[in-house]
Amino acid sequence: MSLTIALAGNPNSGKTTMFNKLTGANQRVGNWPGVTIDRKVGRIRGTDYELVDLPGIYSLSPYSPEEIVSRNFLIEDRPDAVINIVDATNLERNLFLTLQIIDTGIPTVIALNMMDQVRKLGDRIDVEKLSKELGCRVVPVSALNAEGIKELVTAVGEVAEAKLSPEPLYFDGDIETAVTQAEEALRGEVPDETLRFHAVKLIEKDN
């Protein structure tokens, strides 16, 4: 089955290494329309999945050309799934982007990268609990050592083919009430699948 998968993550999260491991030599490079930012596309080895490498970003807010490119691809092009590569040694910073990706409603798999470093530091991450809290699949990997790659490809294929959108992550009290009100105001003005994403962006005063 032919699928389009986006690869998204923070700078220095191991995204380039992961892209190379997944695609091997099956890559082509050009520019995104209208900007001189590299657009890397490749075929995931052993599959019919096209992998689109999004620019390394910290959020989907429109403060840089890279963020605009990534946001527009996710919201307008709607890939079949997203592999969100996360630096497991710096979860707090990386998960900010993760929460925004989940709000897009696109089937998402978290590639919990650098797990070899986590073990080296003597730390442990409860992958099952993290998956439950985020409402999407989490696969521990090490892009550098090609660890967990096969499991990651299997997971993203499964969620993409089944169209398994992540469950929304709800805010506390007054914030969630504001999101609900924003959703009602936007209903019919934006696509249903991106309603929550647009509602949160409206509250953030994102033009």
Side-chain angles (χ1 to χ4, degrees):
M1 182 177 183
S2 181
L3 299 169
T4 300
I5 312 296
L7 180 63
N10 288 183
N12 304 312
S13 60
K15 193 166 62 66
T16 299
T17 304
M18 176 62 76
F19 181 80
N20 292 337
K21 281 284 192 298
L22 288 169
T23 61
N26 304 313
Q27 303 176 10
R28 62 185 186 276
V29 179
N31 283 335
W32 289 89
V35 289
T36 56
I37 298 170
D38 277 355
R39 176 188 171 102
K40 289 196 295 183
V41 179
R43 188 76 56 187
I44 296 179
R45 288 188 284 193
T47 74
D48 196 24
Y49 307 162
E50 183 177 71
L51 186 66
V52 180
D53 185 22
L54 300 182
I57 56 170
Y58 292 108
S59 79
L60 294 178
S61 301
Y63 300 123
S64 71
E66 289 82 3
E67 289 165 342
I68 292 170
V69 161
S70 297
R71 184 193 61 183
N72 288 353
F73 183 76
L74 294 176
I75 298 302
E76 295 171 9
D77 291 79
R78 302 294 293 176
D80 296 292
V82 178
I83 295 174
N84 173 212
I85 187 159
V86 167
D87 178 355
T89 67
N90 200 339
L91 278 180
E92 185 173 0
R93 184 181 69 183
N94 280 243
L95 289 177
F96 179 67
L97 176 62
T98 301
L99 300 185
Q100 292 184 319
I101 291 172
I102 287 171
D103 273 345
T104 67
I106 300 169
T108 299
V109 174
I110 309 299
L112 201 58
N113 194 29
M114 305 186 192
M115 287 298 287
D116 54 325
Q117 291 299 312
V118 171
R119 292 191 296 269
K120 194 173 179 180
L121 292 167
D123 294 331
R124 179 181 171 275
I125 295 174
D126 189 333
V127 174
E128 189 175 328
K129 185 173 183 181
L130 184 62
S131 176
K132 185 178 178 183
E133 293 293 334
L134 292 174
C136 58
R137 298 276 289 275
V138 176
V139 181
V141 302
S142 169
L144 190 63
N145 299 327
E147 174 188 322
I149 302 296
K150 192 175 179 181
E151 292 80 1
L152 177 63
V153 173
T154 299
V156 77
E158 288 173 353
V159 302
E161 289 180 20
K163 295 181 169 38
L164 290 176
S165 297
E167 289 294 318
L169 293 166
Y170 295 106
F171 298 103
D172 288 337
D174 293 344
I175 298 175
E176 191 57 43
T177 298
V179 172
T180 301
Q181 291 171 343
E183 286 179 332
E184 289 307 313
L186 289 170
R187 197 174 300 281
E189 301 295 325
V190 299
D192 286 347
E193 61 266 26
T194 59
L195 183 60
R196 185 174 179 84
F197 178 83
H198 279 94
V200 172
K201 288 297 174 191
L202 178 62
I203 292 168
E204 291 176 353
K205 299 181 179 178
D206 180 340
N207 291 334

mmCIF file of all heavy atoms in Angstrom, residues 18-27 41-45 49-51:
data_model
loop_
_atom_site.group_PDB
_atom_site.id
_atom_site.type_symbol
_atom_site.label_atom_id
_atom_site.label_comp_id
_atom_site.label_asym_id
_atom_site.label_seq_id
_atom_site.Cartn_x
_atom_site.Cartn_y
_atom_site.Cartn_z
ATOM 1 N N MET A 18 18.028 9.106 11.365
ATOM 2 C CA MET A 18 16.870 8.222 11.209
ATOM 3 C C MET A 18 16.410 8.187 9.754
ATOM 4 O O MET A 18 16.113 7.117 9.209
ATOM 5 C CB MET A 18 15.726 8.695 12.113
ATOM 6 C CG MET A 18 14.439 7.889 11.948
ATOM 7 S SD MET A 18 14.648 6.136 12.384
ATOM 8 C CE MET A 18 14.663 6.256 14.182
ATOM 9 N N PHE A 19 16.353 9.356 9.108
ATOM 10 C CA PHE A 19 15.938 9.414 7.701
ATOM 11 C C PHE A 19 16.863 8.553 6.845
ATOM 12 O O PHE A 19 16.397 7.775 6.001
ATOM 13 C CB PHE A 19 15.950 10.864 7.211
ATOM 14 C CG PHE A 19 15.517 11.027 5.783
ATOM 15 C CD1 PHE A 19 14.174 11.025 5.437
ATOM 16 C CD2 PHE A 19 16.455 11.183 4.772
ATOM 17 C CE1 PHE A 19 13.776 11.170 4.118
ATOM 18 C CE2 PHE A 19 16.067 11.330 3.447
ATOM 19 C CZ PHE A 19 14.723 11.326 3.123
ATOM 20 N N ASN A 20 18.164 8.674 7.064
ATOM 21 C CA ASN A 20 19.132 7.895 6.290
ATOM 22 C C ASN A 20 19.003 6.396 6.563
ATOM 23 O O ASN A 20 19.111 5.579 5.643
ATOM 24 C CB ASN A 20 20.551 8.366 6.601
ATOM 25 C CG ASN A 20 20.822 9.764 6.076
ATOM 26 O OD1 ASN A 20 20.166 10.223 5.143
ATOM 27 N ND2 ASN A 20 21.770 10.462 6.675
ATOM 28 N N LYS A 21 18.758 6.031 7.820
ATOM 29 C CA LYS A 21 18.609 4.613 8.164
ATOM 30 C C LYS A 21 17.352 4.028 7.517
ATOM 31 O O LYS A 21 17.345 2.890 7.044
ATOM 32 C CB LYS A 21 18.531 4.441 9.686
ATOM 33 C CG LYS A 21 19.867 4.499 10.406
ATOM 34 C CD LYS A 21 20.661 3.216 10.222
ATOM 35 C CE LYS A 21 21.857 3.142 11.152
ATOM 36 N NZ LYS A 21 22.862 4.173 10.995
ATOM 37 N N LEU A 22 16.274 4.807 7.493
ATOM 38 C CA LEU A 22 15.005 4.315 6.947
ATOM 39 C C LEU A 22 15.013 4.213 5.432
ATOM 40 O O LEU A 22 14.416 3.301 4.862
ATOM 41 C CB LEU A 22 13.851 5.218 7.391
ATOM 42 C CG LEU A 22 13.425 5.129 8.859
ATOM 43 C CD1 LEU A 22 12.463 6.256 9.207
ATOM 44 C CD2 LEU A 22 12.787 3.782 9.173
ATOM 45 N N THR A 23 15.693 5.147 4.778
ATOM 46 C CA THR A 23 15.608 5.216 3.315
ATOM 47 C C THR A 23 16.836 4.683 2.588
ATOM 48 O O THR A 23 16.755 4.333 1.411
ATOM 49 C CB THR A 23 15.371 6.667 2.856
ATOM 50 O OG1 THR A 23 16.476 7.473 3.289
ATOM 51 C CG2 THR A 23 14.082 7.217 3.439
ATOM 52 N N GLY A 24 17.985 4.646 3.263
ATOM 53 C CA GLY A 24 19.208 4.220 2.595
ATOM 54 C C GLY A 24 19.539 5.150 1.445
ATOM 55 O O GLY A 24 19.546 6.376 1.589
ATOM 56 N N ALA A 25 19.780 4.587 0.274
ATOM 57 C CA ALA A 25 20.145 5.400 -0.897
ATOM 58 C C ALA A 25 18.921 5.892 -1.664
ATOM 59 O O ALA A 25 19.054 6.606 -2.659
ATOM 60 C CB ALA A 25 21.055 4.582 -1.815
ATOM 61 N N ASN A 26 17.737 5.487 -1.229
ATOM 62 C CA ASN A 26 16.509 5.836 -1.967
ATOM 63 C C ASN A 26 16.027 7.236 -1.598
ATOM 64 O O ASN A 26 14.965 7.417 -1.015
ATOM 65 C CB ASN A 26 15.400 4.814 -1.661
ATOM 66 C CG ASN A 26 15.825 3.400 -1.970
ATOM 67 O OD1 ASN A 26 16.379 3.149 -3.030
ATOM 68 N ND2 ASN A 26 15.587 2.476 -1.049
ATOM 69 N N GLN A 27 16.840 8.251 -1.925
ATOM 70 C CA GLN A 27 16.531 9.618 -1.528
ATOM 71 C C GLN A 27 16.620 10.575 -2.715
ATOM 72 O O GLN A 27 17.367 10.343 -3.653
ATOM 73 C CB GLN A 27 17.514 10.101 -0.459
ATOM 74 C CG GLN A 27 17.581 9.255 0.781
ATOM 75 C CD GLN A 27 18.652 9.765 1.742
ATOM 76 O OE1 GLN A 27 19.218 10.843 1.562
ATOM 77 N NE2 GLN A 27 18.941 8.986 2.769
ATOM 78 N N VAL A 41 13.121 13.668 0.358
ATOM 79 C CA VAL A 41 12.087 12.643 0.211
ATOM 80 C C VAL A 41 12.776 11.325 -0.101
ATOM 81 O O VAL A 41 13.754 11.289 -0.859
ATOM 82 C CB VAL A 41 11.096 13.000 -0.915
ATOM 83 C CG1 VAL A 41 10.031 11.914 -1.069
ATOM 84 C CG2 VAL A 41 10.446 14.353 -0.646
ATOM 85 N N GLY A 42 12.294 10.244 0.486
ATOM 86 C CA GLY A 42 12.870 8.932 0.208
ATOM 87 C C GLY A 42 11.831 7.841 0.364
ATOM 88 O O GLY A 42 10.730 8.070 0.866
ATOM 89 N N ARG A 43 12.173 6.654 -0.092
ATOM 90 C CA ARG A 43 11.306 5.490 0.035
ATOM 91 C C ARG A 43 11.826 4.643 1.186
ATOM 92 O O ARG A 43 13.013 4.310 1.228
ATOM 93 C CB ARG A 43 11.329 4.682 -1.259
ATOM 94 C CG ARG A 43 10.322 3.557 -1.323
ATOM 95 C CD ARG A 43 8.923 4.029 -1.580
ATOM 96 N NE ARG A 43 8.770 4.820 -2.788
ATOM 97 C CZ ARG A 43 7.647 5.443 -3.132
ATOM 98 N NH1 ARG A 43 6.586 5.364 -2.364
ATOM 99 N NH2 ARG A 43 7.577 6.140 -4.242
ATOM 100 N N ILE A 44 10.957 4.343 2.152
ATOM 101 C CA ILE A 44 11.382 3.502 3.277
ATOM 102 C C ILE A 44 11.701 2.110 2.753
ATOM 103 O O ILE A 44 10.880 1.495 2.059
ATOM 104 C CB ILE A 44 10.297 3.435 4.368
ATOM 105 C CG1 ILE A 44 10.086 4.830 4.976
ATOM 106 C CG2 ILE A 44 10.693 2.448 5.464
ATOM 107 C CD1 ILE A 44 9.013 4.886 6.050
ATOM 108 N N ARG A 45 12.873 1.652 3.059
ATOM 109 C CA ARG A 45 13.346 0.364 2.530
ATOM 110 C C ARG A 45 12.393 -0.777 2.876
ATOM 111 O O ARG A 45 11.903 -0.879 3.994
ATOM 112 C CB ARG A 45 14.742 0.061 3.082
ATOM 113 C CG ARG A 45 15.799 0.945 2.469
ATOM 114 C CD ARG A 45 17.194 0.534 2.858
ATOM 115 N NE ARG A 45 17.529 0.929 4.215
ATOM 116 C CZ ARG A 45 18.757 0.908 4.721
ATOM 117 N NH1 ARG A 45 19.768 0.491 3.971
ATOM 118 N NH2 ARG A 45 18.999 1.289 5.946
ATOM 119 N N TYR A 49 6.298 2.969 1.161
ATOM 120 C CA TYR A 49 6.015 4.194 1.905
ATOM 121 C C TYR A 49 6.982 5.302 1.500
ATOM 122 O O TYR A 49 8.194 5.115 1.539
ATOM 123 C CB TYR A 49 6.149 3.983 3.416
ATOM 124 C CG TYR A 49 5.368 2.838 4.004
ATOM 125 C CD1 TYR A 49 5.707 2.327 5.258
ATOM 126 C CD2 TYR A 49 4.288 2.257 3.334
ATOM 127 C CE1 TYR A 49 5.005 1.278 5.824
ATOM 128 C CE2 TYR A 49 3.579 1.204 3.886
ATOM 129 C CZ TYR A 49 3.943 0.713 5.143
ATOM 130 O OH TYR A 49 3.254 -0.325 5.692
ATOM 131 N N GLU A 50 6.442 6.469 1.138
ATOM 132 C CA GLU A 50 7.270 7.639 0.861
ATOM 133 C C GLU A 50 7.487 8.400 2.164
ATOM 134 O O GLU A 50 6.532 8.729 2.871
ATOM 135 C CB GLU A 50 6.590 8.546 -0.167
ATOM 136 C CG GLU A 50 7.443 9.754 -0.546
ATOM 137 C CD GLU A 50 6.798 10.612 -1.612
ATOM 138 O OE1 GLU A 50 5.797 11.280 -1.285
ATOM 139 O OE2 GLU A 50 7.286 10.619 -2.758
ATOM 140 N N LEU A 51 8.741 8.692 2.486
ATOM 141 C CA LEU A 51 9.080 9.397 3.717
ATOM 142 C C LEU A 51 9.495 10.822 3.373
ATOM 143 O O LEU A 51 10.421 11.038 2.590
ATOM 144 C CB LEU A 51 10.219 8.676 4.443
ATOM 145 C CG LEU A 51 10.591 9.218 5.825
ATOM 146 C CD1 LEU A 51 9.441 9.010 6.816
ATOM 147 C CD2 LEU A 51 11.866 8.555 6.347
#
